[in-house]
Amino acid sequence: LTDKISASRNAIMSIPSGYSNANIKVNEELTVQELLEVFLVHSANEAGFILAEHISGNIENFADLMNQKASEIGCKNTHFTNPSGIHNPEHYSTAYDMALIARYCMQNQTFRDIVSKPSCTIETTDVSEKRYFVNTNDLIRSSSKYYYDYAIGIKTGYTSQAKNCLIAGSLKDNLELITVVLG
């Protein structure tokens, strides 16, 4: 999590206009932890692309790994083409498969900790001042009118094609639930 990754031009420029980002600069160095947080908390698409390139060399190879993992955990109607959900006709899933993926991810304590954060920061770098980001999930921000005391994350999403999507987790009386709302 403390490893530093340099943002490639390709990762930054691959994000179409109108998609959420963290204004990460080409060649800016960030830690894996910072990238994960800004990706999962703020939906900064370029952070997912930077991490994917770091792990697999390119987006296509990373999408292949995503598809392999989805199949391993039981997904039947999912196909990924990129790490962040940027629209592509060949990038799709179902509520059921997203619930399977969320259940798998919530087994990882680092993931759990990040998706339950109401905000995150990227510390000052050699090219940018410190940046502060608010979680896109209103269920976990106490200042939101939609705040839910038992919410534990997980992730929001939006594209003009998919509309608003939510994978929400809650925990009360040792009962943990995952809800997926698409569209």
Side-chain angles (χ1 to χ4, degrees), residues 7 9 20-21 24 28 39 74 80 83 85 97 103 113-114 128 132 134 141 154 163 167 179:
R9 178 170 180 71
S20 179
N21 68 75
I24 297 171
E28 185 171 11
F39 185 45
F80 297 114
D97 283 1
R103 182 177 65 185
D113 293 344
I114 292 171
S128 295
Y132 177 80
V134 174
R141 285 195 340 267
I154 296 175
K163 305 300 179 208
I167 304 170
T179 302

Side-chain angles (χ1 to χ4, degrees), residues 141-160:
R141 285 195 340 267
S142 61
S143 62
S144 166
K145 71 178 184 175
Y146 299 108
Y147 176 73
Y148 180 60
D149 195 40
Y150 303 106
I152 56 173
I154 296 175
K155 188 73 191 81
T156 65
Y158 177 85
T159 67
S160 57

Side-chain angles (χ1 to χ4, degrees), residues 102-162:
R103 182 177 65 185
Y104 176 82
C105 291
M106 290 297 276
Q107 294 173 28
N108 180 291
Q109 190 61 49
T110 300
F111 180 88
R112 288 179 77 89
D113 293 344
I114 292 171
V115 299
S116 67
K117 293 175 72 116
S119 63
C120 70
T121 59
I122 296 179
E123 294 301 324
T124 301
T125 67
D126 59 341
V127 295
S128 295
E129 296 296 318
K130 184 175 184 175
R131 288 159 278 183
Y132 177 80
F133 302 94
V134 174
N135 198 318
T136 57
N137 184 348
D138 287 341
L139 296 173
I140 63 170
R141 285 195 340 267
S142 61
S143 62
S144 166
K145 71 178 184 175
Y146 299 108
Y147 176 73
Y148 180 60
D149 195 40
Y150 303 106
I152 56 173
I154 296 175
K155 188 73 191 81
T156 65
Y158 177 85
T159 67
S160 57
Q161 296 84 3

Side-chain angles (χ1 to χ4, degrees), residues 1 3-7 12 22 24 28-52 54 114 120-122:
L1 295 175
D3 286 355
K4 290 228 173 192
I5 302 174
S6 181
I12 302 299
I24 297 171
E28 185 171 11
E29 287 193 354
L30 301 170
T31 67
V32 170
Q33 179 81 30
E34 288 172 319
L35 289 165
L36 285 171
E37 287 185 9
V38 78
F39 185 45
L40 294 169
V41 171
H42 177 66
S43 296
N45 289 280
E46 80 272 39
F49 278 62
I50 294 164
L51 288 163
H54 176 72
I114 292 171
C120 70
T121 59
I122 296 179

